[in-house]
Amino acid sequence: GIQVEQSPPDLILQEGANSTLRCNFSDSVNNLQWFHQNPWGQLINLFYIPSGTKQNGRLSATTVATERYSLLYISSSQTTDSGVYFCAPPGETSGSRLTFGEGTQLTVNP
Amino acid sequence: KAGVTQTPRYLIKTRGQQVTLSCSPISGHRSVSWYQQTPGQGLQFLFEYFSETQRNKGNFPGRFSGRQFSNSRSEMNVSTLELGDSALYLCASSLAQPEGTQYFGPGTRLLVL
């Protein structure tokens, strides 16, 4: 099945800093989602981004499907951005089976 | 619209028991997927149901089963619980498959003693 690598595994920032999280995947995909897992465990949708660039407030994401990577940008980080960020392309059999990387643990300090 | 709901939120069981978890998808969503999250294995796909039929299954033993009802609500069952089944179980629903955005519920934390 598809392999997903996320980097960096851990990231510590001061409030107000910007960051870029990367997701590499081993095979071509036709969709990809980014999630933020909050401290209570819930996965919050950030983006559904099979290709191109999308922006939502301080967050934006870019997927270059032909080169098998996606980037998540967080600008002017806030303490509430802390948590684990996952990218999830589909598995090889269908888009319904998301394959998760190990995530990036982000800590934003005040 | 209400989001995906899961019940119960927390559960403590002992080895050998069985457990049933419930998931109510977003209104109008017909696909429900289940995932297990553990510190050692991360997030892993369990199975997916669409229109009451299991459409996809992950690499879990037969002790893990599920079903979906005509109103799209889904249940998953784990029989003969093992300590390693302690995990966060997450349910996701989507409107259209296979390419639809999946929305996750808050999860059920299961502790097996």
Side-chain angles (χ1 to χ4, degrees):
Chain A
I2 195 167
Q3 305 298 314
V4 179
E5 288 186 11
Q6 291 188 243
S7 60
D10 296 280
L11 187 58
I12 300 175
L13 302 173
Q14 287 300 120
E15 206 167 21
N18 303 327
S19 61
T20 301
L21 282 57
R22 186 177 180 101
C23 170
N24 293 331
F25 37 92
S26 60
D27 207 345
S28 59
V29 299
N30 48 17
N31 74 76
L32 182 142
Q33 287 188 244
W34 279 96
F35 296 94
H36 174 213
Q37 189 166 39
N38 65 24
W40 297 273
Q42 183 158 10
L43 286 168
I44 309 298
N45 282 308
L46 296 177
F47 295 100
Y48 175 91
I49 182 163
S51 63
T53 297
K54 289 186 177 180
Q55 179 150 11
N56 184 4
R58 297 181 296 103
L59 273 60
S60 65
T62 295
T63 296
V64 184
T66 54
E67 297 187 22
R68 302 179 186 176
Y69 74 88
S70 184
L71 302 174
L72 178 69
Y73 305 94
I74 304 174
S75 65
S76 304
S77 58
Q78 301 175 357
T79 56
T80 52
D81 295 332
S82 296
V84 184
Y85 289 80
F86 291 99
C87 73
E92 59 184 340
T93 52
S94 85
S96 61
R97 179 178 182 159
L98 296 179
T99 301
F100 287 84
E102 294 191 0
T104 291
Q105 173 76 57
L106 174 65
T107 302
V108 181
N109 292 321
Chain B
K1 260 188 189 178
V4 179
T5 59
Q6 292 186 244
T7 57
R9 295 292 312 279
Y10 304 92
L11 205 50
I12 300 175
K13 292 285 189 179
T14 56
R15 278 180 299 174
Q17 288 186 310
Q18 73 165 12
V19 66
T20 299
L21 311 182
S22 180
C23 171
S24 292
I26 293 170
S27 177
H29 286 195
R30 295 170 62 192
S31 170
V32 174
S33 298
W34 289 88
Y35 294 81
Q36 181 198 64
Q37 185 176 28
T38 60
Q41 299 298 318
L43 273 155
Q44 294 185 289
F45 173 81
L46 279 157
F47 28 65
E48 183 228 352
Y49 287 86
F50 183 82
S51 293
E52 301 179 64
T53 301
Q54 186 180 89
R55 196 159 65 169
N56 208 345
K57 189 177 190 303
N59 290 329
F60 279 82
R63 302 185 296 107
F64 292 81
S65 63
R67 58 179 176 168
Q68 186 180 34
F69 302 95
S70 58
N71 62 358
S72 294
R73 189 177 70 85
S74 177
E75 289 181 347
M76 67 163 281
N77 184 274
V78 187
S79 62
T80 319
L81 283 166
E82 301 177 359
L83 296 180
D85 297 333
S86 295
L88 177 65
Y89 290 89
L90 292 161
C91 158
S93 76
S94 68
L95 181 62
Q97 286 299 336
E99 307 306 333
T101 303
Q102 294 196 33
Y103 297 89
F104 281 80
T108 294
R109 289 194 182 274
L110 171 64
L111 176 61
V112 182
L113 301 176

